[in-house]
Amino acid sequence: MRERKTMHFPPAIIDTPPPDRLLNEPITYYEAKDSGPDVNVPEEASPSGETPFGVSGDVSPTGAADSPGLEGLSPYPSKLTDDGQLQSADGDTFYEWSSQVAAIEPSPEAASDLPNTTTLIPPSVLYSNIYQRFGPILERYNMEFCTIPLTSDLQMNPFRYRRTIVPEPMFLVHAVMALAGHHVKSPSTDDHHYTALKLFRESLNTPANLGDGSSMLDAIMILFSFDETQSTLGYWSTHLKGAYGLIEAYGGIEAWTTSARADAQIGLLLWWDAITSLLSREDCVFPYTYVEAILSNPGDRRWNFFDLCGCPHSVVTLVMQVARLSAEKRQSSSMRYVTFDATVITQIEQVLESWHHISPAALAFGREEDIQQDQDCMHCSEAWRHGLLLYVYRVFRWKPGSPIPMRVVRWARVIVDHVVACRDESMIARQALLPLFFAGCEQRDRSVRQKIVQFCSVWNDRTRYQMFGSTIPLLEEVWAEQEAKGFENVWWGHVVDRKHSASCYPLQMRICFG
């Protein structure tokens, strides 16, 4: 047993420093047992000498000497056993959470920038509790950072941090701190992200935390959003399968939709699931019964899809259907005696072609700002409508080598025009990134291409979500391949499939423009 190094400070509480300084403060660490691998576990200074996890003294990262380390196997939650433990489902529906998180977490070699485990860095400020230390950043996160992924802020914001449990779940606090740290370019961002993943995985196997399902779902939402700040390419299916298993473990869709916040979170998870499936043309993680439950009675809900993702409810319904049909189409293409029935797709095309934005009746008596907002809403909705038409053509109608109809070129240009027509000060235009990607892949005009690249670059800087910036090399790869092999022989699916095939099963990396 290594001797724990201790330093004594007077139990005084010093005024909280500015939020940016808080994020840049070092996280203090102690040494782990000799019987297990050295793993950095953050320790908060407190007058009692206890760690923020409610454990004092030396602690093994897994809680037991014979427990597996970061590379061990721990089932991904999908249902509860009789003794209250989370258990994975049979078959291939779920993969083991522990092994997936361990692969995502940085290895000790890769995390060389983490503080040295053999040196105790004394904290510069003492706090009576964890919220007092991180409170200013958590408040700034709620006021500013949690609204960035949404079209507009709403009462049921799926990303807002809630203090519903005391003491706060540390995996959730560190997840929020990681996302907030990214936005202010804090050097401790990776530390918080690493710690959030590790503690979250441990909480899934700790019976004392099984009643905290809502906080676990909060953490999944924030970790998903954090990954979007890094790239369009990520382990999205890992998060989605984890969320589905968690929801099923705690009563299923019927139990969760009694909460308006959880209802909105599931709605956004279904959206991410559909968007990821559109690009991969693979089965969605969530069953369609979830979609039916969320799409029913939209007028009775305290949120709407446009506020979440910039796509109107009626078009979202079509997106959910097309995502599943595209998976069926891809599967049938590999089966010798199966032919895909395009009847439903034809019907969806007809609905899309006749769809139009309907302004609220009260708009005629509203303010000028109401009219401007409605126009922004119309432009973003039209971008999604035409983007889905482009998708349907390429996935269900196009044959390699066939000439591209002029209506497809026109749809692509219409999308670009609608996106750039949204006001710069509104945050709506950025929600049409996926339709803009589809449009960019159909554009040969260099000036229009440059306008799309500029759009992605601007929103990458404004939102600090790297999924905008990483869209640019994807488009450039499509354009380069089209010029080399002929425009009529190349589409975005070639490049996307190549990116997807580079990942290893079951840790599948996918592209998401959510």
Side-chain angles (χ1 to χ4, degrees):
M1 178 78 68
R2 297 178 185 172
E3 180 181 359
R4 181 176 175 180
K5 303 176 183 178
T6 59
M7 299 188 69
H8 300 283
F9 298 90
I13 299 175
I14 302 175
D15 291 339
T16 303
D20 288 354
R21 178 183 158 194
L22 281 175
L23 274 171
N24 293 327
E25 283 186 3
I27 301 176
T28 58
Y29 292 78
Y30 63 84
E31 297 181 13
K33 293 182 179 179
D34 286 333
S35 58
D38 287 342
V39 180
N40 291 339
V41 181
E43 177 185 17
E44 306 302 339
S46 66
S48 65
E50 291 186 350
T51 70
F53 316 118
V55 181
S56 60
D58 292 326
V59 181
S60 169
T62 58
D66 58 348
S67 299
L70 290 179
E71 293 75 22
L73 298 181
S74 176
Y76 197 101
S78 62
K79 61 181 180 180
L80 291 172
T81 60
D82 294 336
D83 60 355
Q85 296 286 348
L86 286 171
Q87 176 179 305
S88 61
D90 296 332
D92 296 330
T93 305
F94 303 106
Y95 303 109
E96 293 174 335
W97 165 258
S98 176
S99 60
Q100 296 192 40
V101 171
I104 298 174
E105 290 175 357
S107 64
E109 293 78 10
S112 58
D113 58 335
L114 294 177
N116 192 319
T117 59
T118 61
T119 303
L120 179 65
I121 304 174
S124 58
V125 181
L126 289 177
Y127 305 92
S128 62
N129 56 59
I130 192 65
Y131 190 80
Q132 186 183 50
R133 177 179 182 182
F134 293 141
I137 277 295
L138 297 177
E139 291 176 3
R140 182 180 177 188
Y141 170 85
N142 277 344
M143 293 295 295
E144 179 182 351
F145 302 140
C146 75
T147 65
I148 294 176
L150 304 175
T151 311
S152 58
D153 195 11
L154 64 162
Q155 184 180 1
M156 297 298 109
N157 187 326
F159 302 105
R160 183 162 283 122
Y161 174 76
R162 303 173 298 163
R163 290 193 70 198
T164 57
I165 300 176
V166 178
E168 296 87 352
M170 290 309 302
F171 59 81
L172 180 56
V173 173
H174 282 288
V176 174
M177 292 296 292
L179 187 51
H182 164 79
H183 286 298
V184 298
K185 299 180 179 180
S186 168
S188 66
T189 297
D190 290 339
D191 294 357
H192 285 294
H193 183 233
Y194 172 85
T195 306
L197 285 171
K198 188 180 71 64
L199 294 180
F200 181 67
R201 180 172 62 87
E202 291 175 359
S203 71
L204 296 175
N205 303 314
T206 306
N209 290 336
L210 292 182
D212 193 20
S214 61
S215 293
M216 293 182 183
L217 188 61
D218 288 350
I220 291 176
M221 303 295 296
I222 293 170
L223 289 171
F224 194 108
S225 187
F226 177 86
D227 285 351
E228 286 187 312
T229 66
Q230 307 303 302
S231 175
T232 57
L233 193 65
Y235 299 104
W236 314 117
S237 60
T238 299
H239 292 301
L240 295 170
K241 289 172 183 175
Y244 176 54
L246 183 68
I247 294 168
E248 287 293 296
Y250 288 94
I253 183 70
E254 297 82 6
W256 288 78
T257 49
T258 57
S259 163
R261 174 184 169 88
D263 195 54
Q265 289 176 323
I266 295 174
L268 191 53
L269 285 167
L270 293 176
W271 175 254
W272 286 335
D273 193 14
I275 293 304
T276 306
S277 296
L278 280 178
L279 288 164
S280 65
R281 289 99 65 212
E282 296 171 345
D283 287 331
C284 293
V285 171
F286 288 86
Y288 200 73
T289 52
Y290 274 59
V291 176
E292 292 174 330
I294 294 297
L295 291 179
S296 62
N297 305 319
D300 297 335
R301 287 186 154 79
R302 295 164 63 184
W303 58 273
N304 62 75
F305 271 105
F306 190 86
D307 286 341
L308 289 181
C309 59
C311 189
H313 183 275
S314 55
V315 179
V316 168
T317 303
L318 300 177
V319 170
M320 302 287 186
Q321 295 173 357
V322 171
R324 286 157 175 81
L325 289 169
S326 65
E328 293 181 10
K329 174 69 163 59
R330 188 170 192 176
Q331 291 170 1
S332 65
S333 63
S334 61
M335 299 179 183
R336 183 174 181 180
Y337 299 108
V338 175
T339 303
F340 178 78
D341 185 359
T343 303
V344 178
I345 282 296
T346 300
Q347 295 172 351
I348 291 176
E349 282 181 308
Q350 293 172 351
V351 172
L352 285 170
E353 289 171 354
S354 61
W355 186 93
H356 63 279
H357 172 74
I358 300 177
S359 300
L363 191 63
F365 307 97
R367 303 170 295 121
E368 178 182 347
E369 176 59 21
D370 296 331
I371 297 175
Q372 298 288 358
Q373 291 180 2
D374 184 64
Q375 284 296 108
D376 290 337
C377 176
M378 179 273 294
H379 286 303
C380 192
S381 300
E382 286 290 346
W384 273 105
R385 176 171 79 96
H386 286 90
L388 200 54
L389 282 169
L390 278 183
Y391 179 89
V392 167
Y393 169 76
R394 279 294 189 176
V395 174
F396 297 95
R397 305 299 188 194
W398 177 72
K399 301 294 182 184
S402 61
I404 307 302
M406 286 299 102
R407 70 177 186 278
V408 171
V409 179
R410 179 181 176 277
W411 289 339
R413 177 57 190 272
V414 166
I415 291 171
V416 177
D417 291 346
H418 277 300
V419 170
V420 299
C422 294
R423 292 175 299 168
D424 289 338
E425 58 270 20
S426 73
M427 299 291 282
I428 293 181
R430 61 184 168 75
Q431 298 287 38
L433 179 60
L434 181 58
L436 191 65
F437 172 76
F438 291 150
C441 293
E442 306 296 342
Q443 289 292 336
R444 279 181 277 192
D445 186 272
R446 294 188 181 276
S447 63
V448 178
R449 287 181 176 182
Q450 184 57 38
K451 187 177 295 186
I452 296 172
V453 169
Q454 183 180 7
F455 173 91
C456 293
S457 179
V458 167
W459 282 107
N460 185 79
D461 295 338
R462 288 187 64 181
T463 65
R464 299 174 291 279
Y465 273 71
Q466 184 58 35
M467 65 178 180
F468 290 95
S470 56
T471 300
I472 298 174
L474 278 176
L475 285 169
E476 291 175 340
E477 192 169 343
V478 172
W479 295 334
E481 199 161 327
Q482 286 173 339
E483 292 177 5
K485 300 180 180 179
F487 187 78
E488 67 281 358
N489 296 317
V490 178
W491 70 307
W492 55 262
H494 292 149
V495 173
V496 168
D497 291 346
R498 193 159 55 242
K499 300 294 183 184
H500 288 174
S501 63
S503 62
C504 299
Y505 180 89
L507 271 181
Q508 299 170 327
M509 296 194 76
R510 293 291 178 261
I511 292 176
C512 179
F513 291 88

